[in-house]
Every structure is written in C-alpha cells, then in structure tokens.
Amino acid sequence: MPESRQIESDLKAYSSQLEAQLKSKYADYQAKAEAYQKGASTMTEVVRADKEKELTGLQNSIQEFQRSADQSLQQKQQTLLKPALDKLQKTIDAVADENGYTYVLNSDGASPVLLHGPKEGDISDLVLKKMGVTPGAAPAAKAAPATTPAATPVSTPTKTKTKSKK
C-alpha cells in the first residue's frame, strides 16, 4: 500500500527521537557514574551515599523510560496502521461482496487467516463459553479476525481462496 512507506518513515523518525532521548539519559548516567568512581575515595560517607542514591535513581529512570518508550512506540504504530488496515479491510469486504465470496482467506503464512466472513458465522463466543471464559470478559482473546497483527507490515494479500455461493 502506498501508505506503508509513510508509516514506516514516521515510525522510524519517532523511534529515532526516543533512541536519542535514551542515549542522552544514558550518557548523563555514565558521566555521573565516572565522576562518582573518580571521587568516591575522597567523599564523605553522606556524600557518597547521596551520589549512590542519585545513580540508582538515574538507572531506574532509564529503565522506566525504556519501558515507556517501547509502549509508546507500539501505540504510535497501532495509531498509524489503523487507517491503512481499515482501508484494506473495507477493500477486501467490498471485493468479496462484489464477487460473491462468502469467505476470504490469506494463505501466505503457515496457517490461513480469515480476512472476510459473515458475522453470523463467528463462533468465538461459543468457543469461549465452552472453554469456561465469559465472552466479553477478555477482550484481547477475541480479536477482529479480519485484520493482520499490528506488528506485521501492511501488505495486500497475495493469495486468496474459497468461493462459495450465498
């Protein structure tokens, strides 16, 4: 899709910003750690404890920033991909309806992925009940079957199968 290049570019730029901020935090930490190591022998116990506490705080801050940055990058990816995935799904649905397809599968991967199917054919709630899970209680378990995962690049399905009469 034409949008994929722009999405990749935006994600790369955002990732680069986050990496630059992380490098800056880490450089600050390294500078303070080196200063501490050089002057530790001449510091009083109170000053040394304060510097150690500061270094521990910086380490924690760096770790928290990394977690937050990863989460932020995933959220940015989902936000950028959503319009393209929605457009792709609408196109798949339209092509399926126009050509009388009941089900459309993407068979590029190891196991086929349902790209289009009738809503009344969705048995997810029945499967969840049989497993002892209350439908709706675990929204992550019932993902929209017609989209590709956010972590994969956006591409149009190259192989589609199955045509059945309605």
Side-chain angles (χ1 to χ4, degrees):
M1 292 180 70
E3 296 92 340
S4 64
R5 286 189 194 99
Q6 184 61 45
I7 291 169
E8 284 180 37
S9 173
D10 290 351
L11 282 174
K12 191 172 184 175
Y14 188 67
S15 178
S16 295
Q17 284 179 333
L18 294 173
E19 284 178 32
Q21 289 175 4
L22 181 62
K23 283 180 184 177
S24 172
K25 286 180 176 290
Y26 189 68
D28 183 41
Y29 169 78
Q30 282 184 318
K32 289 184 180 187
E34 286 177 21
Y36 169 77
Q37 287 174 347
K38 287 178 183 174
S41 60
T42 61
M43 293 178 192
T44 65
E45 191 64 35
V46 173
V47 172
R48 188 175 20 238
D50 186 52
K51 295 291 183 185
E52 288 171 0
K53 186 176 178 180
E54 180 184 9
L55 289 172
T56 301
L58 285 172
Q59 278 181 322
N60 292 338
S61 173
I62 289 170
Q63 290 172 350
E64 179 58 34
F65 181 81
Q66 284 177 315
R67 281 191 293 275
S68 159
D70 288 343
Q71 190 175 31
S72 179
L73 187 60
Q74 285 180 337
Q75 189 174 23
K76 180 81 167 175
Q77 181 181 29
Q78 289 174 353
T79 300
L80 291 173
L81 283 175
K82 184 164 178 19
L85 292 174
D86 288 347
K87 177 182 174 183
L88 177 61
Q89 186 61 53
K90 284 180 184 175
T91 304
I92 290 169
D93 291 343
V95 168
D97 289 343
E98 290 167 7
N99 292 286
Y101 289 99
T102 303
Y103 294 94
V104 177
L105 303 172
N106 178 349
S107 61
D108 283 348
S111 61
V113 176
L114 179 65
L115 298 174
H116 174 83
K119 301 289 185 236
E120 58 274 359
D122 184 355
I123 63 167
S124 299
D125 287 350
L126 296 174
V127 171
L128 289 173
K129 284 180 187 176
K130 182 122 180 138
M131 293 174 61
V133 177
T134 305
K142 185 178 176 184
T147 60
T148 57
T152 58
V154 177
S155 64
T156 45
T158 55
K159 299 178 189 174
T160 56
K161 298 183 194 179
T162 329
K163 181 175 182 176
S164 62
K165 299 288 181 189
K166 288 187 178 183

